[in-house]
């Protein structure tokens, strides 16, 4: 978006010189300028509207256990490529979740996506710093023909003692 603002600022600054030209040049320049501005505006809107949506389901848990629970839903680059940073692209945090299923939306910047990379949505529920529910399946999204909508199912994390 900063690049777009810079472009518009420079275009407006140079517009005063265009207005001093003859009528045909003015018309052509204004047409090119307006087309370029509209294209860049469309690209900026597309970048701001990029998202992965879905539902998060988990088995019923005692209300006391969910009282201080936190859900983490994360869009992450899991590519084994050398140029992959394994970075978090987007994250949603939900405190004190109500009941399952939970609908979520992970917004991300389209320019952060490399079509050669692999992205997944990961989720877990933690309480007092310990994971109590986690996913057991992979949920690939965005690239390589994968969807932009996922339905995640969490299961109990039997490796940890459940903190009541």
């Amino acid at each position: 978006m900063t690049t777009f603002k810079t472009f518009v600022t420079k275009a407006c600054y140079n517009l005063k010189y265009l207005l001093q030209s003859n009528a045909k040049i003015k018309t052509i320049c204004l047409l090119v300028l307006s087309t370029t501005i509209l294209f860049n505006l469309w690209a900026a809107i597309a970048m701001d509207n990029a998202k992965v949506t879905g539902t998060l389901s988990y088995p019923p848990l005692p209300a006391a256990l969910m009282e201080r629970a936190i859900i983490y839903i994360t869009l992450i680059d899991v590519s084994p490529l050398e140029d992959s940073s394994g970075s978090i692209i987007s994250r949603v945090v939900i405190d004190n979740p109500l009941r399952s299923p939970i609908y979520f939306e992970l917004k991300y910047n389209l320019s952060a996506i490399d079509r050669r990379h692999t992205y997944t949505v990961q989720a877990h529920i933690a309480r007092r710093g310990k994971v109590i529910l986690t996913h057991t399946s992979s949920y690939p999204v965005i690239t390589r023909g994968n969807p932009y909508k996922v339905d995640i199912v969490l299961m109990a994390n039997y490796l940890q003692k459940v903190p009541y």
Side-chain angles (χ1 to χ4, degrees):
M1 198 70 165
T2 305
T3 305
F4 176 69
K5 288 179 183 176
T6 304
F7 170 78
V8 171
T9 303
K10 288 180 180 178
C12 290
Y13 178 76
N14 293 321
L15 186 60
K16 68 179 183 180
Y17 297 109
L18 295 176
L19 295 175
Q20 297 171 357
S21 305
N22 69 36
K24 286 183 181 179
I25 293 175
K26 281 187 212 178
T27 304
I28 292 170
C29 289
L30 288 173
L31 180 62
V32 169
L33 179 63
S34 62
T35 303
T36 305
I37 289 172
L38 287 174
F39 176 77
N40 282 308
L41 182 60
W42 173 80
I45 289 170
M47 282 188 179
D48 287 343
N49 289 331
K51 63 185 173 185
V52 172
T53 60
T55 59
L56 177 73
S57 302
Y58 51 89
L61 295 171
L65 183 61
M66 293 305 288
E67 189 175 294
R68 293 185 182 153
I70 301 172
I71 295 177
Y72 297 93
I73 306 170
T74 309
L75 173 62
I76 189 164
D77 183 344
V78 294
S79 303
L81 303 175
E82 289 180 16
D83 61 343
S84 170
S85 62
S87 60
I88 292 174
I89 306 298
S90 178
R91 174 175 271 174
V92 172
V93 177
I94 303 168
D95 291 325
N96 300 317
L98 298 174
R99 61 181 72 144
S100 176
I102 293 179
Y103 299 92
F104 66 87
E105 182 175 276
L106 290 163
K107 293 183 179 181
Y108 61 92
N109 187 331
L110 196 57
S111 65
I113 302 300
D114 185 330
R115 290 287 173 205
R116 299 170 298 155
H117 290 201
T118 303
Y119 300 89
T120 64
V121 175
Q122 299 177 356
H124 68 272
I125 299 178
R127 184 166 188 267
R128 295 184 183 164
K130 296 191 187 283
V131 174
I132 57 175
L133 295 173
T134 190
H135 59 90
T136 57
S137 298
S138 177
Y139 297 95
V141 292
I142 303 172
T143 57
R144 303 174 188 251
N146 289 308
Y148 290 80
K149 181 179 184 309
V150 291
D151 297 313
I152 300 173
V153 178
L154 299 183
M155 304 298 287
N157 183 5
Y158 293 106
L159 300 176
Q160 299 259 352
K161 182 179 179 186
V162 177
Y164 275 97

